[in-house]
Amino acid sequence: MHTDVSANLDWLKKYADEFSSNHENDLIIVAGDISDSLEVLRTTLAILKGTFGAGVAFVPGNHDLWCGTLDRGVGALCACACAC
């Protein structure tokens, strides 16, 4: 998704505003690489949770593992888990 690119995050917000009622019974699987910013990761997951009523399954990618304030890897994975 790379929503740390503002155009991608803007597109997601627009999509969520226009189509959230179409996905109230849907689950989305996000296969990583949302952002290397914990704030953007949290924002993106919140948008997805609000759009897909059945939930969000998130598997962190290599970019997401750079968003922790602790040491890279395990610390970042914990930060990603807390964002969910």
Side-chain angles (χ1 to χ4, degrees):
M1 285 191 156
H2 293 281
T3 51
D4 43 0
V5 175
S6 60
N8 294 351
L9 185 57
D10 291 344
W11 177 89
L12 180 62
K13 289 176 181 177
K14 182 179 178 191
Y15 182 88
D17 287 343
E18 292 180 15
F19 298 105
S20 62
S21 63
N22 295 341
H23 298 294
E24 60 190 31
N25 297 314
D26 293 339
L27 168 90
I28 187 170
I29 299 170
V30 182
D33 287 356
I34 290 178
S35 176
D36 57 7
S37 161
L38 188 55
E39 180 181 339
V40 173
L41 176 68
R42 287 181 176 145
T43 298
T44 302
L45 290 174
I47 292 168
L48 292 170
K49 286 183 204 177
T51 304
F52 294 89
V56 177
F58 171 59
V59 179
N62 64 314
H63 288 255
D64 309 306
L65 296 180
W66 286 98
C67 67
T69 55
L70 305 172
D71 61 329
R72 305 296 184 213
V74 174
L77 187 58
C78 291
C80 287
C82 290
C84 294

